[in-house]
Amino acid sequence: GIAEIIVGERKNLLEQAVLSKQLIPLGSLDASFSGDEHSLVLAYEQSQSVIGYISAEYGPDAVVRILKHLRKDCDINCALRNGIGLSLFELEQKWHAFLERKVTWFTYLSASLYQILFIFAAIVLTAGFIRMMVMKRRYKDEEEDGS
């Protein structure tokens, strides 16, 4: 979607929020869409994840059932209860448990492997350069002492 184009480089915002336990509560997710860029992107990623979770766990027509109940002037708890048999709180707890199983430090770090390797290579090259400069200076000092 358009938000994925806007997001650009920051593709791990949801994973970061899961690992730091700073997810936006689903009950106040709509307010985050009018907030700062970080909140907007996180709200979008969370919404996408929740819809994907509902579809995967309760069937592809579960989202349609919920939307039909919302159209009948049902609030979100009523629509969720009638659509998938859960309250918003129960859905959020199950979704959090799903995310915590799916997103671990290992998966987060493996997704950032290129950045980690780049930083490691930069550190090794910097250390090598410093070592070369120290050796060059020692050689120059030894040469001056020997003359």
Side-chain angles (χ1 to χ4, degrees):
I2 189 73
E4 292 171 340
I5 294 169
I6 294 170
V7 172
E9 295 291 319
R10 301 188 311 181
K11 294 180 182 172
N12 294 337
L13 216 51
L14 179 62
E15 287 84 359
Q16 291 172 9
V18 170
L19 291 171
S20 64
K21 299 196 183 307
Q22 294 182 344
L23 290 166
I24 302 167
L26 293 182
S28 61
L29 196 60
D30 59 337
S32 298
F33 280 101
S34 60
D36 61 296
E37 183 182 347
H38 175 82
S39 298
L40 172 70
V41 173
L42 182 57
Y44 172 78
E45 288 186 14
Q46 280 191 218
S47 300
Q48 187 179 29
S49 176
V50 168
I51 296 300
Y53 172 76
I54 291 171
S55 183
E57 290 293 315
Y58 303 98
D61 62 328
V63 175
V64 174
R65 289 192 312 265
I66 294 168
L67 291 173
K68 283 181 182 177
H69 289 289
L70 283 171
R71 196 169 29 176
K72 296 177 185 174
D73 291 330
C74 238
D75 70 346
I76 189 66
N77 272 312
C78 171
L80 287 170
R81 182 76 60 202
N82 293 332
I84 59 174
L86 299 174
S87 68
L88 183 61
F89 178 77
E90 293 168 328
L91 172 64
E92 188 164 11
Q93 296 303 312
K94 288 179 179 260
W95 175 63
H96 280 206
F98 166 77
L99 286 176
E100 288 172 2
R101 284 191 311 271
K102 181 181 164 196
V103 178
T104 63
W105 279 106
F106 178 74
T107 59
Y108 180 72
L109 291 176
S110 66
S112 304
L113 187 60
Y114 288 120
Q115 291 88 345
I116 293 168
L117 289 176
F118 179 79
I119 291 169
F120 178 72
I123 291 169
V124 168
L125 285 173
T126 303
F129 176 76
I130 291 171
R131 184 171 181 218
M132 182 188 76
M133 294 302 289
V134 168
M135 289 175 63
K136 187 176 180 181
R137 182 162 290 174
R138 282 183 189 161
Y139 179 74
K140 192 175 182 181
D141 290 345
E142 287 175 6
E143 193 175 88
E144 288 176 359
D145 289 344
S147 302

